[in-house]
Amino acid sequence: EGLRADTTEDWKEYMLEIVGKMFAHTVYEFDTMVTMIRGEYRKPTRKREMESEQGGDDEVYSNEFILCSLNKTDHPKKALMFDYMEKEFKSYNVF
């Protein structure tokens, strides 16, 4: 149903429904991020003849898909660092 959604809002609703089902049946012990992408794979199957008087496009094989990725998120560790030059504590984050 999500592939056939006409508007972006409808598509988002379908994807949120899927994510709800994913989290309803499994408990994750870490923070997660779900990414959904809707795309279309197209491959030409036959090219039209250029000498032909008929217009039109090439014949194309088309397949719509949804790609879903479930990833663990890590929060950066918060720490303090003492700056000897300015003689004060500052936030220290390593990226």
Side-chain angles (χ1 to χ4, degrees), residues 74-80 91-94:
D74 292 325
H75 295 287
K77 294 181 180 179
K78 295 181 182 180
L80 290 177
S91 176
Y92 181 71
N93 291 325
V94 178

Side-chain angles (χ1 to χ4, degrees), residues 4-68:
R4 294 182 194 93
D6 293 330
T7 64
T8 303
E9 293 302 317
D10 291 342
W11 185 76
K12 285 180 184 179
E13 287 180 29
Y14 286 121
M15 296 306 107
L16 288 174
E17 185 179 324
I18 290 171
V19 170
K21 290 178 182 179
M22 288 168 63
F23 286 101
H25 299 293
T26 304
V27 176
Y28 297 97
E29 297 180 10
F30 45 84
D31 292 334
T32 57
M33 180 177 75
V34 179
T35 306
M36 302 269 191
I37 299 172
R38 178 169 63 172
E40 181 179 14
Y41 174 74
R42 303 182 82 180
K43 181 179 178 184
T45 57
R46 187 174 73 179
K47 296 192 178 260
R48 67 183 173 108
E49 297 176 18
M50 297 306 257
E51 295 83 26
S52 171
E53 294 180 6
Q54 298 177 2
D57 296 328
D58 300 341
E59 287 184 16
V60 176
Y61 168 77
S62 173
N63 187 27
E64 294 180 340
F65 64 91
I66 294 175
L67 178 65
C68 177

